[in-house]
Amino acid sequence: MEGLKNTLEYLLTPSAPIFIVGALIVLLVPILVHFFVVRTTPYTTLPTILLVGPSGAGKTSLLTLVERGDKTVPTHTSQTPQPVELTVSAGGAVQSFRETAKEDAPGMHKKFLLMDTPGHGKLRKFAMDRVNTQDSLKGIMFVLDAAALDENLPATGSYLYDVLLALQKRMGAGKTSRGPSSIHVLIAANKSDLFTALPVSLVKSNLEAELGRIRKSKSKGLLDSGVGADDVGNEESDNWLGTYGAEKFSFSQMREFDLEVDIVGGSVLEGKVDKWWKWISARV
Ligand SMILES: Nc1nc2c(ncn2[C@@H]2O[C@H](COP(=O)(O)OP(=O)(O)OP(=O)(O)O)[C@@H](O)[C@H]2O)c(=O)[nH]1
Ligand SMILES: [Mg+2]
């Protein structure tokens, strides 16, 4: 009892050691909490551009190009998502964070994350999880190989369909609760350097036709059976990509859901990626 009283008296009497310990606690606790929060929630605050698309399209090559300025680094099929911290300057140039730090004054550029994901069919949940829920998601780059689209059309189309439908559902949910204001999608038709590469207009029409086909086959033929759109259950219209009941699919139908879809050609190999950077700089 006596000991407790003495301790309390010591703690409550103003003295130099007590002030110093108190000041240290007041100063250090917020700093420690800051580092704890930053460490436990990595990369959720920076605006994020997600790289998705089928295997072999050139996602990792694009990341390597901007990160190291090297077009010839060999890549492997990716197995895990890989974020890279980049900056975009006022002029729209995208560069790695390290280079920016050397040349530009701080404040002249914005930081963002470019997130590479594996394109292999079994590893797409990494990408889809982020498409579905990531708060800091500002845009999605769907990279495809324009030179091999003919062979890859079914696989590429079904991945794109999944991404767009997930986004559409996400935006639809945003109308009732707190959701993203708008998410832009860039279809990057890569490998334009190859002579077999399809021009952007053909990439677009092929994809639209393929998405229309997938949409039709998933609708279980209800629309064809003469049942009016009003009689069909909610689930049916919720799983319909684009304008409900429309005969043909076009990317412009995604505007109904505040989703803007652009298609731009380019080539990582030749460093023709300026238009893609421009698109990114408008997003972050
Ligand atoms: N000709 C040509 N080849 C390219 C271009 N971009 C990438 N490639 C090649 O395409 C191959 C696949 O590129 P990656 O970047 O590994 O493909 P990815 O999209 O990351 O594939 P996953 O990791 O499996 O999802 C590599 O051999 C690249 O060198 C391009 O613009 N032109
Ligand atoms: Mg890869």
Side-chain angles (χ1 to χ4, degrees):
M1 200 60 205
E2 195 61 21
L4 182 70
K5 198 178 153 211
N6 282 345
T7 320
L8 268 180
E9 217 167 71
Y10 173 71
L11 284 177
L12 294 176
T13 314
S15 69
I18 294 291
F19 271 125
I20 292 169
V21 171
L24 280 180
I25 289 174
V26 168
L27 291 174
L28 285 182
V29 165
I31 295 174
L32 290 177
V33 167
H34 168 81
F35 280 110
F36 177 73
V37 170
V38 167
R39 280 188 75 142
T40 50
T41 53
Y43 305 128
T44 49
T45 44
L46 281 182
T48 302
I49 303 287
L50 199 61
L51 282 174
V52 301
S55 198
K59 300 178 293 297
T60 309
S61 308
L62 177 67
L63 206 72
T64 319
L65 169 70
V66 57
E67 201 191 13
R68 306 203 214 149
D70 197 336
K71 299 161 203 164
T72 54
V73 179
T75 56
H76 307 280
T77 282
S78 307
Q79 310 229 355
T80 53
Q82 192 202 352
V84 171
E85 198 171 309
L86 303 173
T87 63
V88 55
S89 69
V94 173
Q95 45 191 181
S96 77
F97 181 60
R98 276 165 293 152
E99 282 168 41
T100 319
K102 271 185 277 164
E103 291 161 15
D104 273 351
M108 293 292 289
H109 53 262
K110 274 184 266 172
K111 267 202 250 182
F112 72 99
L113 280 188
L114 193 57
M115 176 80 77
D116 187 19
T117 62
H120 189 280
K122 288 192 175 152
L123 301 171
R124 285 183 193 164
K125 77 174 183 48
F126 288 123
M128 294 309 292
D129 282 352
R130 290 183 164 79
V131 170
N132 283 319
T133 55
Q134 185 160 4
D135 281 337
S136 53
L137 188 64
K138 295 290 179 241
I140 295 179
M141 265 180 93
F142 188 95
V143 184
L144 60 82
D145 180 345
L149 192 60
D150 278 341
E151 309 91 273
N152 296 339
L153 190 58
T156 308
S158 79
Y159 193 7
L160 183 59
Y161 183 93
D162 290 347
V163 169
L164 290 180
L165 189 62
L167 279 178
Q168 173 179 319
K169 287 184 178 174
R170 193 179 164 171
M171 300 306 283
K175 277 178 188 145
T176 46
S177 60
R178 195 178 62 95
S181 51
S182 79
I183 295 180
H184 289 235
V185 178
L186 177 71
I187 298 174
N190 190 27
K191 309 201 186 179
S192 66
D193 54 287
L194 296 174
F195 80 99
T196 47
L198 296 181
V200 171
S201 57
L202 267 184
V203 172
K204 183 171 183 227
S205 56
N206 282 357
L207 283 175
E208 286 182 335
E210 182 63 21
L211 293 187
R213 247 193 309 276
I214 297 173
R215 178 168 84 172
K216 207 165 194 174
S217 72
K218 293 210 174 181
S219 80
K220 309 178 201 109
L222 270 179
L223 287 171
D224 296 340
S225 67
V227 186
D230 295 339
D231 305 333
V232 181
N234 245 348
E235 201 195 329
E236 169 81 9
S237 60
D238 284 352
N239 286 312
W240 181 275
L241 187 70
T243 307
Y244 188 59
E247 179 66 27
K248 286 205 169 105
F249 174 81
S250 73
F251 288 119
S252 57
Q253 290 175 10
M254 299 313 293
R255 292 208 189 106
E256 275 182 30
F257 303 91
D258 283 332
L259 292 168
E260 199 71 43
V261 184
D262 293 312
I263 306 199
V264 177
S267 162
V268 174
L269 193 72
E270 290 184 328
K272 278 194 196 151
V273 292
D274 293 352
K275 287 184 184 159
W276 300 346
W277 293 160
K278 212 174 251 165
W279 179 88
I280 287 181
S281 69
R283 302 280 86 78
V284 296

